[in-house]
Amino acid sequence: MEHPENDEAYKGLVVNAGIEQPSIVNPYLRARTQFRRRELTANDYVEGILKGDVTILSRAVTLVESVLPQHHALAQEVIEKCLPYSGNSVRVGISGVPGAGKSTSIDVFGMHVLEEKGGKLAVLAIDPSSEKTKGSILGDKTRMEKLTLHPKSFIRPSPSAGSLGGVARKTRETIVLCEAAGYDKIFVETVGVGQSETAVHSMVDFFLLLQVAGTGDELQGIKRGIMEMADGIVINKCDGDNVERSNLAAGHFRNALHLFPVPDSGWTPKVLTYSGFYGLGIKEIWDMIYQYMDFVKANGYFQYRRNEQNKYWMYESINEHLRNSFYQNDTISKLLEIKEKQILEGQQTSFVAAKELLDIYYSEVLGTK
Ligand code: GDP
């Protein structure tokens, strides 16, 4: 008997069976978790992206950025399916050293183009610093306060893992996804430190170089190659005491640019001054960019540059795949440590070690030497 008190002997006393304690584990939890973790198929991704669903777009970008080999095939399928819907945008690269005012400017530029031209804006970044120092320059502070809140903007920090080429390729693929999702203005931001400009230049239609007038010899700090890449140089912080210096610097840049040969686009880069902080001279910058777009679309350079970029990215992808295939090979990754040691101890030269590793790799992958 469950309750002895209910025995005949205890007349007048009845103890009812208690209420069963509910399980401390939510019985619905599993079902919900399963629902939340439901893997999307390539078609789910593409459908969501084409509808402009920001959550799905974000998940697709995460998939593209994933370093897990099992995600690669799905990511490539999504990109492939989005490709026919991409390409219809203005892609602008924005570069400048830390402190030049990139975040401040992109916030203002973004608000300006959205108000003036409508449409949707995606802001992406290529930040090589996150690779080496594991900390990023772009994205670790509150940036672009107004744009972040704008319903027509999509801001995504730099992919962080891998080589600069790998990071850049992911950003380039994210452009495809964003364009398929209806973003017709794409900004790609990068820190002006050398290689990353080349990467950005290889995926945008217009390359904007942000400068600040300072000591008067700012020209010396910029590599010639970077100036040659610029379709426009804009001097920020042209406000208060800095106006005169900014105008002077603009003159220096104009003179320097005159010494360069006319670029393939036939467009002579312009130099403008503005103040991102006070919102001065912003319209002129965007008028310049749209003027450029009309110019290069009319003379055919626009399509030429995009075709060249596609070619460039094919080679970049091949290089990256080969590199990954080599370094992710089990035998090779084990041997690399040994070879490194041998080189440090002077037992083998780098060239011989490299040759040996490659021979082993070839014989394993191709079955030949
Ligand atoms: P980033 O590192 O290139 O992204 O630069 P930030 O946008 O964070 O700007 C660096 C500093 O410069 C901040 O303190 C800004 O307030 C300041 N700044 C940015 N634009 C201007 C401007 O047009 N005028 C002035 N006076 N200061 C600015």
Side-chain angles (χ1 to χ4, degrees):
M1 188 179 294
E2 205 185 334
H3 290 284
E5 299 92 333
N6 289 349
D7 191 273
E8 289 273 299
Y10 303 99
K11 287 204 169 72
L13 180 68
V14 178
V15 180
N16 292 328
I19 296 169
E20 212 179 299
Q21 277 290 328
S23 155
I24 54 164
V25 178
N26 180 352
Y28 302 109
L29 192 65
R30 236 181 108 204
R32 261 182 64 197
T33 318
Q34 269 174 356
F35 171 72
R36 284 244 231 95
R37 285 209 190 132
R38 191 172 76 85
E39 298 282 333
L40 297 179
T41 65
N43 283 337
D44 293 337
Y45 276 115
V46 176
E47 207 175 287
I49 289 171
L50 294 182
K51 269 195 263 169
D53 184 324
V54 178
T55 314
I56 297 206
L57 174 64
S58 299
R59 281 182 68 174
V61 175
T62 307
L63 182 75
V64 164
E65 290 176 355
S66 168
V67 288
L68 299 177
Q70 65 265 36
H71 288 160
H72 285 178
L74 182 60
Q76 289 312 315
E77 194 182 341
V78 174
I79 294 163
E80 196 96 335
K81 288 191 164 144
C82 283
L83 261 178
Y85 305 95
S86 72
N88 227 340
S89 71
V90 179
R91 304 171 186 164
V92 181
I94 299 173
S95 175
V97 293
K102 288 182 298 300
S103 355
T104 317
S105 304
I106 290 173
D107 208 18
V108 190
F109 291 166
M111 294 304 286
H112 175 83
V113 281
L114 284 174
E115 273 160 27
E116 189 106 319
K117 308 274 178 191
K120 299 204 288 182
L121 166 71
V123 181
L124 313 175
I126 294 179
D127 184 353
S129 61
S130 41
E131 181 195 348
K132 280 191 199 131
T133 60
K134 303 283 175 231
S136 71
I137 296 179
L138 310 174
D140 56 357
K141 47 188 167 162
T142 315
R143 314 173 81 241
M144 306 162 205
E145 285 169 4
K146 284 191 230 106
L147 262 192
T148 310
L149 299 176
H150 199 289
K152 297 283 165 100
S153 78
F154 176 77
I155 301 176
R156 186 83 192 187
S158 171
S160 58
S163 60
L164 172 61
V167 170
R169 182 181 56 77
K170 288 171 190 168
T171 304
R172 151 101 189 158
E173 289 173 345
T174 301
I175 293 182
V176 171
L177 302 183
C178 289
E179 288 177 350
Y183 291 85
D184 58 347
K185 293 161 194 69
I186 314 275
F187 291 177
V188 186
E189 174 188 15
T190 196
V191 191
V193 289
Q195 281 301 302
S196 54
E197 281 96 341
T198 318
V200 172
H201 187 254
S202 62
M203 63 179 84
V204 298
D205 306 313
F206 189 99
F207 187 78
L208 191 68
L209 186 60
L210 255 62
Q211 289 292 316
V212 191
T215 52
D217 60 7
E218 41 274 334
L219 269 177
Q220 290 174 9
I222 315 181
K223 292 203 192 89
R224 185 195 155 112
I226 292 172
M227 261 186 86
E228 270 177 322
M229 266 192 271
D231 300 298
I233 296 177
V234 287
I235 298 167
N236 188 21
K237 309 195 187 182
C238 181
D239 47 52
D241 296 346
N242 221 15
V243 173
E244 203 175 316
R245 247 182 302 170
S246 302
N247 287 330
L248 210 64
H252 288 154
F253 277 113
R254 280 187 199 110
N255 289 339
L257 282 172
H258 272 307
L259 302 176
F260 292 169
V262 178
D264 292 345
S265 58
W267 166 270
T268 314
K270 287 197 163 67
V271 181
L272 301 174
T273 57
Y274 77 108
S275 166
F277 192 79
Y278 294 100
L280 306 169
I282 309 297
K283 183 178 181 308
E284 286 73 6
I285 294 176
W286 288 92
D287 285 350
M288 164 180 75
I289 292 173
Y290 278 92
Q291 230 179 337
Y292 169 88
M293 295 305 262
D294 289 342
F295 181 81
V296 291
K297 276 184 179 166
N299 73 6
Y301 181 77
F302 178 83
Q303 201 48 50
Y304 169 79
R305 179 156 164 176
R306 284 205 171 178
N307 291 344
E308 286 296 304
Q309 290 173 340
N310 287 338
K311 240 165 52 183
Y312 171 89
W313 284 103
M314 180 185 80
Y315 287 108
E316 276 297 301
S317 303
I318 294 174
N319 293 346
E320 204 201 344
H321 276 110
L322 287 176
R323 205 180 305 122
N324 287 347
S325 156
F326 178 79
Y327 286 109
Q328 284 166 8
N329 181 293
D330 281 343
T331 320
I332 296 297
S333 57
K334 280 185 207 124
L335 277 176
L336 273 171
E337 254 176 68
I338 301 170
K339 290 286 166 200
E340 248 186 52
K341 225 167 135 224
Q342 288 181 345
I343 289 169
L344 290 178
E345 287 167 3
Q347 293 170 359
Q348 205 169 35
T349 69
S350 352
F351 303 104
V352 173
K355 172 87 172 60
E356 263 183 44
L357 285 167
L358 285 167
D359 282 347
I360 292 166
Y361 172 74
Y362 290 143
S363 65
E364 203 165 278
V365 175
L366 307 174
T368 57
K369 272 229 165 176

